[in-house]
């Protein structure tokens, strides 16, 4: 069996008396799509922040392609090939869509011309090519989400961390992003998604890990996870599995 691209080992995050994440471990194989799911406040975003280097774990370690990430700065982790999107999208409003994507592209390219070419190619992948000269402030929410994705992709990541990239979208708009993610995954990109919409993960993830109150309560295929009584209870409340 090949080594996992991402290994999360026993990570814990304590804030004073609060334990946000408690002893969470999971592996993400090369070329897979992994879903991290759970109700609001389950610790999903805190897990992401520890993987991406924005927050240091109180305990535990994170490895990317065998290299220890724990203790590295976010920009160093990005340079190694880990890109993330943020739950609240904040494009550079006065810059064009192309210029926004170029900010990510400059990590990998030595000249502005090459950054422009990489950014343009990335925008084409997410369907924003025709809007590349529009200022970001004029984009709709679905297009702002696609631009957030493009900015991350322009850093040429090997691992993409998506934090509720489909939050606030209609099902048809979410399906457009799912189609883009599938295509990227078929090109070899490994993806980890934080979501709380089960339908989205069921349609795209190979493997799902479920967090509840900061703890990993189960992980497995989407089908197996949705039939787990602990998952049904944490999502729907006690008694939900009886008579439904």
């Amino acid at each position: 069996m090949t080594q996992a691209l991402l290994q999360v080992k026993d990570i814990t995050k304590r804030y004073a008396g609060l334990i946000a994440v408690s002893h969470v471990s999971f592996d993400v194989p090369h070329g897979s799509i992994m879903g991290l799911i759970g109700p609001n406040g389950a610790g999903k975003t805190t897990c992401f922040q520890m993987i991406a280097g924005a927050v240091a774990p109180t305990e535990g370690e994170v490895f990317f392609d065998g290299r220890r990430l724990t203790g590295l700065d976010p920009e160093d982790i990005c340079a190694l090939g880990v890109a993330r999107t943020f739950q609240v999208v904040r494009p550079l409003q006065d810059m064009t869509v192309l210029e926004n994507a170029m900010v990510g592209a400059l990590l990998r390219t030595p000249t502005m011309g090459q950054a422009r070419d990489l950014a343009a190619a990335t925008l084409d992948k997410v369907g924003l090519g025709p809007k590349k000269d529009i200022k970001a402030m004029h984009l709709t929410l679905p297009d702002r989400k696609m631009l957030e994705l493009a900015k991350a992709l322009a850093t040429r990541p090997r691992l993409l961390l998506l934090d509720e990239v489909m939050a606030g979208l209609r099902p048809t708009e979410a399906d457009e992003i799912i189609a883009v993610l599938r295509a990227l995954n078929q090109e070899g990109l490994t993806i980890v998604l934080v979501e709380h919409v089960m339908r989205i993960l069921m349609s795209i993830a190979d493997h799902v890990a479920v967090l509840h109150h900061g703890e990993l309560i189960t992980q497995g295929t989407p089908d197996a996870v949705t039939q787990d009584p602990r998952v049904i209870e944490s999502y729907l409340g006690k008694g939900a599995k009886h008579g439904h």
Side-chain angles (χ1 to χ4, degrees):
M1 187 176 163
T2 57
Q3 185 185 50
L5 182 63
L6 179 71
Q7 294 173 295
V8 175
K9 296 189 172 182
D10 209 33
I11 57 171
T12 296
K13 184 63 188 177
R14 293 191 195 92
Y15 294 100
L18 173 74
I19 299 177
V21 173
S22 179
H23 302 289
V24 168
S25 298
F26 56 82
D27 287 355
V28 181
H30 286 265
S32 66
I33 299 180
M34 163 102 177
L36 197 57
I37 196 165
N40 286 333
K44 305 182 298 291
T45 295
T46 304
C47 267
F48 252 34
Q49 289 175 318
M50 287 191 278
I51 295 167
V55 167
T58 312
E59 294 171 35
E61 295 179 305
V62 178
F63 294 88
F64 174 66
D65 208 13
R67 177 168 179 168
R68 188 173 182 266
L69 296 186
T70 318
L72 295 181
D73 290 331
E75 53 268 32
D76 295 328
I77 292 173
C78 185
L80 288 172
V82 180
R84 71 169 288 196
T85 66
F86 293 86
Q87 214 169 329
V88 180
V89 288
R90 290 197 183 96
L92 301 159
Q93 301 279 14
D94 283 331
M95 290 166 65
T96 65
V97 168
L98 180 65
E99 287 164 345
N100 267 271
M102 282 174 67
V103 172
L106 284 166
L107 177 72
R108 298 282 178 222
T109 56
T111 69
M112 290 297 281
Q114 286 173 303
R116 185 176 296 273
D117 291 345
L118 174 55
T122 305
L123 291 172
D124 286 340
K125 276 188 178 176
V126 302
L128 284 179
K131 298 178 182 177
K132 69 180 191 296
D133 297 321
I134 295 173
K135 284 199 172 180
M137 68 173 76
H138 300 308
L139 293 179
T140 61
L141 177 63
D143 283 346
R144 289 205 305 274
K145 298 269 188 179
M146 284 294 197
L147 179 56
E148 178 79 359
L149 179 57
K151 282 160 61 181
L153 289 174
T155 68
R156 284 192 184 145
R158 295 169 60 207
L159 174 67
L160 182 62
L161 306 173
L162 301 175
D163 195 352
E164 295 199 18
V165 73
M166 289 166 262
L169 299 184
R170 299 185 184 98
T172 51
E173 294 163 349
D175 288 343
E176 286 174 17
I177 292 187
I178 288 169
V180 169
L181 296 181
R182 275 211 190 96
L184 292 167
N185 178 245
Q186 282 164 0
E187 292 175 9
L189 184 63
T190 306
I191 298 171
V192 182
L193 289 161
V194 159
E195 261 305 329
H196 64 253
V197 179
M198 190 71 85
R199 176 192 79 87
I200 289 169
L201 285 187
M202 288 292 289
S203 69
I204 192 172
D206 306 309
H207 189 86
V208 177
V210 185
L211 292 178
H212 190 53
H213 296 313
E215 295 185 353
L216 184 68
I217 57 172
T218 189
Q219 57 179 312
T221 64
D223 282 338
V225 160
T226 51
Q227 290 165 30
D228 190 302
R230 292 165 298 183
V231 176
I232 295 166
E233 192 173 296
S234 68
Y235 265 83
L236 303 174
K238 286 184 180 174
K241 60 186 176 289
H242 302 304
H244 288 286

